[in-house]
Amino acid sequence: MMLARRNNNVNWMSNLFDDFFDGGWMPRIDTTAPAVNVKETENAYEMEVASPGLKKDFCRVNLNEEGNLVVRLEGKFEHKDENKKEHYLRREFSYSNFEQSYLLPKDVDKDNISARVEDGILHIAMPKVTKSADKVERAIDIA
């Protein structure tokens, strides 16, 4: 004897919407943020933001009014085939923008933050404030 299993899919409305939006009916927009690594050394913090294919002209790093670090990446990629004898049936454009604000640790020297782009990675160096040597050697009189 074979047992029959009844499928009581109570969540049919959710599945209907999932099939509509996840299927071919509605194209999905890929909204991913770039990968960010943050490392700490004895003297500094360094942030690495993945920015493959972006030139330094499309990267912006600044401090906002609240003293937070703001990173902006704007990419515009255009794939063209400049053959004048043919007309285009399809041209591909890609635009991507990213903006993120980061709260900085209190020991960051905000006046000496620097940034550079190298091999598709935006490097942001944030040196720590150097602690002044408050050690003063002196003789203490005994009363």
Side-chain angles (χ1 to χ4, degrees):
M1 181 197 265
M2 184 172 221
L3 295 175
R5 184 173 172 184
R6 187 173 177 185
N7 187 3
N8 287 334
N9 192 356
V10 183
N11 208 2
W12 67 272
M13 188 62 113
S14 175
N15 288 342
L16 178 67
F17 281 107
D18 289 344
D19 290 343
F20 180 76
F21 288 110
D22 291 342
W25 293 97
M26 296 283 293
R28 182 178 288 191
I29 298 172
D30 189 17
T31 56
T32 57
V36 176
N37 297 329
V38 180
K39 54 186 169 180
E40 179 182 10
T41 64
E42 185 178 329
N43 300 322
Y45 299 96
E46 183 170 343
M47 181 182 287
E48 301 169 332
V49 181
S51 55
L54 286 181
K55 299 177 182 177
K56 73 176 187 174
D57 299 337
F58 298 112
C59 300
R60 302 280 182 262
V61 179
N62 65 329
L63 295 174
N64 65 12
E65 294 172 353
E66 292 85 28
N68 298 327
L69 183 75
V70 179
V71 177
R72 289 183 188 92
L73 302 176
E74 181 180 286
K76 178 181 175 183
F77 304 101
E78 185 174 337
H79 174 72
K80 288 190 210 177
D81 185 9
E82 293 296 332
N83 189 345
K84 300 293 182 186
K85 295 180 183 178
E86 300 174 356
H87 71 282
Y88 294 106
L89 296 177
R90 178 177 174 166
R91 288 174 55 171
E92 295 182 3
F93 297 93
S94 174
Y95 299 95
S96 61
N97 290 322
F98 168 76
E99 181 175 331
Q100 183 69 44
S101 179
Y102 298 95
L103 183 63
L104 295 175
K106 294 182 189 273
D107 61 344
V108 169
D109 184 359
K110 293 180 181 179
D111 293 330
N112 291 310
I113 295 175
S114 63
R116 65 180 166 49
V117 175
E118 182 179 322
D119 297 330
I121 298 175
L122 171 63
H123 297 270
I124 303 169
M126 299 168 280
K128 292 181 180 179
V129 176
T130 56
K131 296 180 182 177
S132 61
D134 291 336
K135 297 179 183 177
V136 177
E137 189 173 319
R138 65 184 176 100
I140 299 174
D141 293 331
I142 300 175

